[in-house]
Every structure is written in C-alpha cells, then in structure tokens.
Amino acid sequence: MTIPAQFDAKTIENKWYAYWMKNNYFHSEPDHRTPYTIVIPPPNVTGVLHMGHMLNNTIQDVLIRRARLKGFNACWVPGTDHASIATEAKVVAKLKSEGINKADLSREEFLKHAYEWTDKYGGTILEQLKQLGCSCDWERTKFTMDPDMSASVIRSFVDLYNKGFIYRGYRMVNWDPEAKTTLSDEEVIYEEQQGKLYFLKYKIEGSEDFLTVATTRPETIFGDTAICINPNDERFTHLKGKKAIVPICGRVIPIIEDEYVDIEFGTGCLKVTPAHDMNDKTLGEKHNLEIVDIFNEDATLNSFGLHYQGKDRFVVRAEIAKELETIGALAKTETHLNKVGTSERTKAVIEPRLSDQWFLKMEDLVKPAIQSVLVDGEIKLHPKRFENTYAHWLNNIRDWNISRQLWWGQQIPAYFYGDGKEDFVVAESIEEALVLAKEKTNNQQLRTNNLRQDVDALDTWFSSWLWPMSVFGGIMNPENEDFKYYYPTNDLVTGPDILFFWVARMIIAGYEYTGKKPFTNVYLTGLVRDKQRRKMSKSLGNSPEPLELIEKFGADGVRVGLLLSASAGNDIMFDEELCNQGKAFTNKIWNAFKLIKGWEVSNSISQPESSKVAIEWYEAKLQQTLLEIEDNFEKYRISDALMGIYKLVWDDFCSWFLEMIKPAYQQPIDSLTLAKAIAMLENNLKLLHPFMPFLTEEIWQLLAERKLEEALIVSTWPEIMPFNAQLISDFENTIEVISGIRTIRKDKNILFKDPIELKVVNNDEVSAYFDAVVTKLGNITSLEYVSDKVNGALSFRVKSSEYFIPITGSINVEEEKAKLTAELVYTQGFLKSVQSKLANEKFVNGAPEKVLANERQKEADALSKIATIEQSLAGLK
C-alpha cells in the first residue's frame, strides 16, 4: 500500500462522500434502536451557502455523526423553505427582465414560472452542503411546497379555524410596499433614523387664527380627518367645538377632545390620520371619524393626494414641505431622531395600512410554550440566557397576521360564496367547501364555480412552524410509524435571530398538535463576523465564499477552523487563519499516521519499559479527555469538546506518545507496542470523526481492510472506562523534567546524540514510574537518585526536587560561570525596575488590574529565574 506524502483533500472528499452515499450510511428507518433525530432549519430554496450555513450545518453534522457512533438510529432530515417573499420577488424581477408583468399573468401562469425558477435554482444549497460533508438522510429531503407538506399546512389552517383560533379581521397591519404584502409584527425591524419634525399650521374655520401640529410625515395630511386636543389643556379652551382646515386639500375637519393627547409633548395639538397610524385608528374608532386611505399598495399617493397622485411618499414629503412653506403653512422644521419600522426581508420602510387579513389568536396557544421552556425546563435553550429574550416575546405576544398578499405559497383555504365579508367557508378542498357553503346558505343550487378562493397566501412561517411534524407526515397521519418513532426530535441547531419567527412557533405547534415538545435542546449559534466584529455581508466585501474556503483548506480544515471559535450563542470573529489552523491539524494527523505506518515491525523483540508506561499513560489520558468531551457535549460546548480532542491528538498523542514509543533510528518497533499505537490512533479517529469525517475515514480505511459494516462512519464511540488519574498527574511532572533536560541541552549546545547522566534529589517523593521515559527522551545513560546536591553540575528544579547534569569536558566551567553571572546581574536589574514600579502607590492605584497582574507576573518570573541561576552557579563551584 502506497500512502501519499500529502493529504489530497479534494480527491479524498469526493471518494468518501460517494462511498457513504452508495452504501446508504446516512439513511434511517425505524428499528429496535433508540432514535436520534435532527431536522435541518430549511434554508431558502433558491439560497446559496454562506458562512452562517457553514457553521450551523457543521454543528448539526457533528451531533448526528457522534450519535451514529454512539449506536443511535441517527436521522437528519434535510430540506428547503419556499421563502414566499424572497422567492416571489426574484421571480417577479426575472419576469420583468423578460418584459413580463406579474399583473398580466393568472395565478396558475405565475406559479408555473415560480416552479420553473425553483427547479432551476432550487436545491443548490443542499448540493453545497454535501461538499461540507453533511450526512443528511437525503432520501427524506423535503420542500415546504411539496404536495404533502402543503396539505399539512392547509389542514392546520382548517383545524385552527374550526377551533376558533383563526379569524378574519379589518385591522391596521404592517404593509411592505416593496413586496406588496403584509408582515407580522416579528418581521418588522425598528431602526433609529435621523429625520425632520415639521410644524404645520391649520387655519381655524371662520377666523384668521390657526393651530400648529408637529408631524414627521407631512405627506399624510391628505388623510387627516380630525385635530385632537386634551380637554384639560387650558391653552386650547377656545378651540373646543370648532373646526380646522387641512392645508392644501382644504378639507374641513372637527377638533375633538381626548385625554390620549399628551399635554407636555409637541404642540399639544395632534393631527389624526386613522388610515395610516395605529393610535390614530383607535382614536378614529372611538370618535367615529372618517377613514381616508391616501396610499396605493406601492406607497405612491392615490387620488386623495391631488396633484401628488402617483408620486412616491418620500418624494412627496420633500415636495409638500416646499409647498407648505410657500403658502405659509410651515411654521418651522427641526431635526428629529425617530424609530422607523423596516421590512426584515426587503428593508423597505413599513407603511401602517388598514386591510382585511387573517389572524391567529395566540393568547391561549402560547401557554404550553411558556410552561415547557420557562417553568418545567422540558425544553432547554443553550445558552440559557436566551430564555429572557424568549420570555419577553411570549409574554408580550400579539395575534399573528398569517396572510400575505402573494401567490407563491399555500393559498388560504377560504372560499367566498358572496360579496359580504362573512360570506365564506373554510375547507381543505373546494369540494368540501361547496358542502359547507350549501349548509351555511341553505342554497342547494350552489356549484363550485360559484365559489371564489381567497387570493392571498399564508405566511411562510405558518408552514415551517409545522416542520418537525410535517416532515414525518405527523399532521396528515399522526399514527404513521415514522412519526411515532422519530418525533419528538432531539436537538435543534439554529440562530437566535429566528428564536421568535421559528423556534417558539414550532414549540407552540408541537404542543397544540401532539401535546409533546418538538425537540429537547435548542443550540443557538452566534453570528459569524469578521475580525473587526462587523457582520459579514456582500456589500462590505468581508464575507468569504464558503466553497472557495473548502477548495483552499479542505472541508475538514474549514470545519475545524469554524468550530474552534464557535461557543454557543457567542458571535464568531472569523479569520481565514482559523481554517489554516484546521488544515495544519489535518496535516499533523496525516503525518502521525504516516509515521506509524512507516515503522518496521518485529515479533521477536520485547516491549521496552518506556513504551509500556507510555501506553498506560495515554490510555488514561484518553479516558480523562473522553469524560471532558462527554461533559462538554452534554452542555452543548461543542467548541470546547473539539479543543479537548485537538489538545489530546496534537499535544498528547503526536508530541508525547509517539515520541515515547518511537523506535531508534533504523530500528524496528515491537509488535505489541505497534498494535497498541494503532488501537490508540483508531480511538483518536473515532473522537475526531464527527469533526473531520473525510480525513478520519481515509486513515481508518488505510489502517486495515474493512468490511462495509466496519466503516468508521458506523463504528463505535470509545467506551468510558476507569482510569488511573495519578498516572496523568505524575506525567505532568515528567514533562517538566524532560523540558528541563532539553533546555539545558539547548542552552549548552549539548547534542541529543551525546548521552548525559542525570542525578536527582527527590524532595517531592515523585513516582519513578516514568523514569524509563525520561531516560529515553533525555538520552540519559544513568539516572540516579542521590541525597545531596551534586557539585560541578548544571541543574534545574521541578517543584522542590532538584535535577543535576554533571558537566563533562565539553563545557568550559569558567565560561559558563561568567555567562550565568552576567545573566544573573541583568535579571536582578530587571527585577529591581519591576519592584520599583510596584512600590509606586500612584501607579498601583491608577493602573488597570490587567496591567498590575502582568507586572506581578514579571516579578514572580524574575524571582524564579534568579533562584535557578543562583542554583546553577552553586553547582559549578
């Protein structure tokens, strides 16, 4: 067998992914084993891989591969989301580029274009996840617009409507004028923006007097239907019962009184525009005011805007200010910091708009979701601090606007049989709707062509909130074998930005439909940022192309690089150097494997004592690390688990264990030690496999000929066994001894091939168990325990024990004494300067704690170094 000198990531990644797929290792079917289930947060169907996806899916793959190794029936369900707003916008833009207007198409024609678009561009991201090594059960891939998935959404709507949770209401909603649809409250992002406050003058009818109102939106004066004052405001007693005239449009409107108006705020007079402000709508209903809607669906002004008809609201704002100033109706303007609602999807400024929409009552539905997370702890959020955010949202939840003015999505299953707002029935099909409509109207002459289905689609989140259930057919057939076996799922890995949109709603739906939690643990990842803590974005040019990173560093290198810095819930300061570190780790493991495979083996030589104790120590160290890894996984500290394995393999296995068992130059290794070394390497590979699947499978298969059922992907996670913790503690002391020997060899230019003696005054009564290792790694001819210090020797100290290396003729004692004396004088001078600084009360009182700690460490290091030099000088007398 020829082992390549370099690890060829691309070739190996393609080879082993094809092998895993061919042999169906990712697929799961219900059986006697305990299931372990993850459902992927479905990315947008037309999306492409970004750094957030890389992090999120790497963590999911780590969890699923580890579960597979631990003997669970691991099932990771992949899929994509139809993303109604984003996808419809892309399809509309594509049609526009071809000279086709959506308004000229029927719904069926538009949907045909949308499906063609998703067929062409959809699923790209799932193929990209394969390059990352994701071991999803691809046979179970779901799309939220699949017929069975859509049927689940429709059934859910009908069920909730029949239970009285869904209702239709004429409400003030959040209107996105770019997407031309409503949004739920959770899809509105409030941003502080610098704007202007306009002070407008309204004439009092029948007089030359005027009143002044302050507004940030002068373009809405065309929708004003009243001026409101506080009845207790003595400044405006003279206005009671009078009317005002709206500038430009000349509409005469009543001056009404309501204690809602804050006497201390603004001018004390409030313009009331019921069609375009939530609070104004409430006032309008209370005082029976006229409602004048001045906007088209794209936020241009309609005919109520007079000569501004057809112009955008922001264009009108600038122009109307000039006109108001010209006619003397603008008293002044001031700069003003204002919170403005923007669309989470399109970034457009939201327009409050009155509209007939469908809503889901949340007050009762939310109760089990509050209980399970915040009271019972049945569902755990990692990190726990996100419980506060979760509690704030659920305790202040409002009814959910679930209808969208879009065609791409599940069409609302409400069927109108007349022109009245209540002339509708809700059913899963038009045939069922016809039966209900006949019953409701007592008109047996009705036909399906007399029914008109609501044109709106359901909010995308109304389909994805069913995801953990619907992917297993749990809504349409809750008694099916898959659903009963895989649900509830185990872990959910997602971002905190959709804790409200998706996670909380899945919990609500899970309890409503099954009485069970949809998952047990929610691992919330942080955002991937650049080194300057900026959010990654194409506009900033700071977001690397994930597939280019895989090409450059290998999938395993990128996975390790991401996870080494990815503690739960904390943002990641991404640096390509992390991936380089991952690649270096890959090479380190590959070279360790090559070293072991390159050794000649002998069955006739006995096992050296140094190898025997090395094996015992490494077995204990691996068990200690395994316990730490299990603890970190339990606490969802995936980064810490990886770091534990990283240190075990890089430091303990490569830097120490292999050095301890390595045969002498051109000498064979005994067969017993080699077998143990390979067994240790195999255990390392098992621990590493969830993080570095390609490298580990390659080495695993090169170590021995394996049957299909012996592939690493379906191997067995190392078993926790009792171990000797004292061995680990003793070896820490041994490391210091070996380091001391190496330091003296380096400082005194004593080549490693030149053997030396070592004499020990063992004041600590340290175990001599590792003496064979010290002898080998220090190239010691004689290791002797003595009771007194050794004169004419170089020395070092480990704890309170002293180690002496007698000087041979190759070292000039006088030169060595002069060198040590000079170093002693320099160090004493350095110590004096540090102690002088620490004696300065002004410095100590004013310096940050970190600076003080640094200075105190300098003092301690200098004192230690002086003691060591003085000891060496004493030994040279």
Side-chain angles (χ1 to χ4, degrees):
M1 181 198 329
T2 304
I3 299 171
Q6 299 295 322
F7 177 71
D8 181 359
K10 189 167 187 178
T11 302
I12 285 164
E13 286 162 12
N14 292 336
K15 175 174 75 174
W16 290 116
Y17 205 88
Y19 175 83
W20 294 328
M21 289 286 283
K22 178 185 174 185
N23 294 296
N24 228 16
Y25 291 118
F26 303 161
H27 184 57
S28 171
E29 289 290 341
D31 62 21
H32 64 281
R33 292 173 294 168
T34 302
Y36 174 85
T37 316
I38 293 179
V39 291
I40 200 171
N44 289 2
V45 64
T46 58
V48 292
L49 201 63
H50 60 58
M51 296 304 293
H53 293 133
M54 292 269 280
L55 171 65
N56 182 291
N57 287 283
T58 296
I59 291 168
Q60 290 177 81
D61 197 44
V62 167
L63 294 173
I64 210 80
R65 285 181 183 273
R66 176 172 171 268
R68 209 177 274 127
L69 287 169
K70 286 178 81 74
F72 292 97
N73 188 352
C75 180
W76 182 12
V77 181
T80 50
D81 187 272
H82 64 277
S84 52
I85 295 176
T87 305
E88 181 149 329
K90 287 180 180 178
V91 176
V92 168
K94 178 238 179 197
L95 291 172
K96 194 174 181 180
S97 70
E98 297 170 358
I100 303 171
N101 192 327
K102 177 190 169 186
D104 297 332
L105 300 175
S106 67
R107 188 188 199 105
E108 289 68 30
E109 288 169 335
F110 177 81
L111 289 177
K112 186 183 175 191
H113 284 287
Y115 274 110
E116 285 173 0
W117 171 268
T118 54
D119 287 344
K120 184 175 181 180
Y121 297 103
T124 298
I125 192 166
L126 298 184
E127 291 304 311
Q128 292 173 327
L129 288 178
K130 293 177 182 178
Q131 294 183 53
L132 186 61
C134 293
S135 57
C136 302
D137 187 345
W138 299 110
E139 291 180 36
R140 293 184 178 274
T141 302
K142 287 291 185 180
F143 174 43
T144 50
M145 286 284 280
D146 285 342
D148 61 323
M149 299 292 279
S150 288
S152 298
V153 176
I154 299 305
R155 178 161 295 182
S156 171
F157 184 98
V158 174
D159 173 69
L160 291 167
Y161 176 80
N162 289 336
K163 288 174 179 173
F165 286 119
I166 288 178
Y167 64 93
R168 194 166 186 258
Y170 187 65
R171 295 282 193 85
M172 182 73 72
V173 294
N174 306 301
W175 182 261
D176 181 338
E178 189 170 317
K180 298 183 179 62
T181 182
T182 57
L183 301 177
S184 66
D185 293 332
E186 293 72 43
E187 291 169 296
V188 179
I189 308 298
Y190 287 91
E191 300 171 349
E192 283 198 337
Q193 293 184 4
Q194 191 75 48
K196 290 181 179 178
L197 196 59
Y198 300 82
F199 291 80
L200 310 184
K201 295 158 72 173
Y202 289 63
K203 281 190 74 171
I204 310 301
E205 187 185 39
S207 79
E208 293 301 310
D209 294 335
F210 61 85
L211 57 86
T212 305
V213 302
T215 180
T216 57
R217 307 185 65 201
E219 69 277 12
T220 61
I221 62 172
F222 297 113
D224 289 354
T225 55
I227 298 291
C228 189
I229 58 173
N230 191 308
N232 305 312
D233 193 337
E234 295 178 359
R235 294 174 296 173
F236 302 120
T237 307
H238 65 289
L239 296 180
K240 292 182 179 183
K242 295 188 177 179
K243 294 184 178 181
I245 303 169
V246 180
I248 299 177
C249 72
R251 184 184 302 126
V252 177
I253 57 176
I255 298 173
I256 62 174
E257 301 168 47
D258 199 290
E259 290 185 350
Y260 166 76
V261 178
D262 185 349
I263 295 174
E264 304 296 324
F265 184 75
T267 64
C269 293
L270 179 76
K271 66 190 279 300
V272 184
T273 318
H276 301 294
D277 182 272
M278 183 67 75
N279 296 319
D280 288 9
K281 176 180 177 285
T282 304
L283 271 176
E285 288 171 345
K286 184 177 178 182
H287 295 275
N288 200 26
L289 298 178
E290 182 186 2
I291 294 173
V292 179
D293 185 349
I294 68 167
F295 288 120
N296 296 314
E297 63 175 14
D298 60 355
T300 56
L301 271 70
N302 59 25
S303 59
F304 284 110
L306 305 178
H307 46 288
Y308 292 107
Q309 183 177 356
K311 290 187 176 182
D312 180 78
R313 56 189 164 159
F314 297 119
V315 172
V316 174
R317 185 173 300 176
E319 292 182 359
I320 203 170
K322 289 180 183 176
E323 183 176 355
L324 288 165
E325 187 176 19
T326 302
I327 63 173
L330 180 63
K332 62 176 180 176
T333 60
E334 293 177 357
T335 56
H336 180 69
L337 196 62
N338 195 23
K339 272 200 169 181
V340 177
T342 59
S343 167
E344 189 252 347
R345 283 286 179 198
T346 67
K347 311 305 177 193
V349 173
I350 293 302
E351 195 61 56
R353 193 182 196 202
L354 284 165
S355 176
D356 283 311
Q357 301 291 336
W358 294 90
F359 295 88
L360 177 62
K361 293 178 185 176
M362 301 301 290
E363 188 179 354
D364 291 330
L365 285 173
V366 80
K367 288 174 183 175
I370 293 172
Q371 183 77 18
S372 65
V373 175
L374 304 174
V375 181
D376 299 338
E378 192 177 25
I379 297 173
K380 293 178 173 61
L381 305 185
H382 305 274
K384 189 176 173 64
R385 69 172 188 271
F386 282 106
E387 286 182 7
N388 294 331
T389 317
Y390 181 89
H392 176 76
W393 186 67
L394 292 195
N395 288 325
N396 294 280
I397 201 164
R398 296 165 68 180
D399 288 357
W400 176 11
N401 173 7
I402 56 173
S403 49
R404 297 290 178 269
Q405 286 60 59
L406 301 166
W407 283 350
W408 179 241
Q410 287 87 15
Q411 190 172 355
I412 290 173
Y415 298 85
F416 291 83
Y417 51 79
D419 296 327
K421 285 191 175 185
E422 299 301 317
D423 293 348
F424 67 85
V425 291
V426 170
E428 291 184 43
S429 67
I430 195 166
E431 290 76 20
E432 289 177 28
L434 182 61
V435 173
L436 293 173
K438 284 179 178 179
E439 287 177 9
K440 193 172 178 181
T441 60
N442 203 24
N443 178 3
Q444 298 305 310
Q445 304 308 310
L446 281 176
R447 298 290 178 266
T448 54
N449 59 3
N450 300 131
L451 302 182
R452 173 177 49 85
Q453 189 173 354
D454 193 310
V455 295
D456 289 350
L458 285 159
D459 180 8
T460 302
W461 297 110
F462 191 81
S463 64
S464 55
W465 80 322
L466 303 174
W467 185 252
M469 295 179 285
S470 57
V471 295
F472 296 115
I475 299 295
M476 300 306 290
N477 180 15
E479 293 304 310
N480 82 77
E481 187 183 6
D482 273 9
F483 186 60
K484 289 198 291 184
Y485 180 76
Y486 292 111
Y487 187 92
T489 68
N490 295 77
D491 296 327
L492 178 77
V493 182
T494 190
D497 52 328
I498 54 174
L499 180 59
F500 315 136
F501 293 130
W502 192 46
V503 179
R505 287 170 176 163
M506 282 191 290
I507 295 171
I508 292 167
Y511 282 108
E512 173 60 23
Y513 283 106
T514 69
K516 296 177 185 175
K517 59 187 176 183
F519 30 71
T520 300
N521 296 288
V522 181
Y523 179 102
L524 297 157
T525 65
L527 288 172
V528 183
R529 298 182 181 273
D530 66 13
K531 287 184 289 184
Q532 299 171 47
R533 304 190 70 86
R534 298 177 302 176
K535 190 174 178 180
M536 288 191 167
S537 69
K538 287 181 180 177
S539 59
L540 286 173
N542 65 344
S543 182
E545 172 54 53
L547 296 184
E548 288 176 10
L549 288 177
I550 291 173
E551 183 77 26
K552 187 175 178 181
F553 301 107
D556 291 328
V558 174
R559 287 165 68 115
V560 169
L562 271 171
L563 290 180
L564 279 175
S565 59
S567 54
N570 295 323
D571 289 352
I572 294 162
M573 304 306 117
F574 180 76
D575 182 352
E576 272 197 26
E577 186 51 40
L578 292 168
C579 295
N580 203 26
Q581 187 180 346
K583 184 179 180 180
F585 188 42
T586 303
N587 291 333
K588 185 80 171 177
I589 298 163
W590 183 253
N591 290 334
F593 157 67
K594 281 201 308 169
L595 177 69
I596 293 170
K597 289 298 285 183
W599 289 334
E600 184 185 336
V601 63
S602 170
N603 294 314
S604 60
I605 58 175
S606 59
Q607 184 180 52
E609 181 66 16
S610 57
S611 295
K612 175 180 169 291
V613 299
I615 290 163
E616 289 177 4
W617 163 75
Y618 191 74
E619 284 176 334
K621 188 67 183 174
L622 186 138
Q623 284 298 325
Q624 182 193 55
T625 305
L626 185 57
L627 279 179
E628 293 168 0
I629 291 166
E630 294 293 339
D631 182 59
N632 282 319
F633 269 110
E634 187 105 356
K635 295 169 181 170
Y636 289 82
R637 294 175 178 165
I638 313 296
S639 178
D640 292 344
L642 173 58
M643 185 52 78
I645 301 168
Y646 184 96
K647 287 177 178 176
L648 175 77
V649 173
W650 189 294
D651 297 338
D652 301 317
F653 186 77
C654 296
S655 299
W656 287 107
F657 178 70
L658 292 183
E659 287 299 309
M660 288 190 269
I661 66 166
K662 186 168 67 174
Y665 181 62
Q666 291 190 337
Q667 295 299 308
I669 189 170
D670 68 280
S671 56
L672 185 56
T673 299
L674 182 63
K676 279 290 188 180
I678 289 173
M680 296 298 101
L681 176 58
E682 286 182 337
N683 275 330
N684 291 345
L685 295 176
K686 290 174 181 180
L687 295 178
L688 284 164
H689 179 74
F691 300 95
M692 309 175 79
F694 296 110
L695 167 77
T696 51
E697 188 74 75
E698 172 74 0
I699 295 175
W700 179 265
Q701 299 281 355
L702 288 172
L703 281 171
E705 197 169 317
R706 315 275 187 181
K707 297 175 184 173
L708 286 177
E709 64 272 17
E710 294 172 334
L712 178 56
I713 189 174
V714 288
S715 184
T716 309
W717 187 256
E719 187 181 347
I720 292 176
M721 308 279 284
F723 66 94
N724 186 347
Q726 187 60 46
L727 266 183
I728 298 168
S729 176
D730 288 346
F731 188 70
E732 291 304 311
N733 191 75
T734 304
I735 288 173
E736 290 190 56
V737 174
I738 294 166
S739 298
I741 295 168
R742 287 173 173 173
T743 300
I744 284 180
R745 279 187 175 278
K746 182 184 173 191
D747 291 349
K748 311 312 172 198
N749 294 318
I750 305 171
L751 299 176
F752 181 76
K753 67 182 179 64
D754 297 333
I756 57 175
E757 294 178 13
L758 183 67
K759 299 184 186 298
V760 185
V761 178
N762 190 359
N763 296 322
D764 295 315
E765 296 185 1
V766 172
S767 168
Y769 191 77
F770 289 101
D771 282 0
V773 171
V774 173
T775 299
K776 178 178 180 178
L777 296 187
N779 193 9
I780 307 296
T781 54
S782 167
L783 194 161
E784 183 185 354
Y785 287 85
V786 296
S787 55
D788 296 316
K789 293 182 179 181
V790 179
N791 291 325
L794 299 167
S795 64
F796 62 92
R797 184 186 293 268
V798 174
K799 294 181 181 172
S800 61
S801 292
E802 294 178 90
Y803 295 80
F804 298 91
I805 299 173
I807 293 174
T808 62
S810 61
I811 294 178
N812 185 311
V813 175
E814 292 306 315
E815 277 185 15
E816 189 61 33
K817 284 166 74 174
K819 190 172 164 185
L820 287 169
T821 302
E823 192 175 353
L824 179 63
V825 170
Y826 171 81
T827 308
Q828 287 170 334
F830 175 76
L831 176 64
K832 189 176 179 182
S833 70
V834 172
Q835 288 178 330
S836 172
K837 199 182 283 187
L838 288 171
N840 184 330
E841 196 174 325
K842 190 176 179 183
F843 169 76
V844 172
N845 293 334
E849 187 54 44
K850 196 173 180 182
V851 172
L852 280 175
N854 190 37
E855 291 301 317
R856 288 180 183 125
Q857 187 60 51
K858 285 181 188 176
E859 180 186 33
D861 292 344
L863 286 166
S864 174
K865 189 172 183 181
I866 287 167
T868 303
I869 296 168
E870 287 175 339
Q871 184 182 326
S872 295
L873 279 168
L876 291 172
K877 288 178 182 174

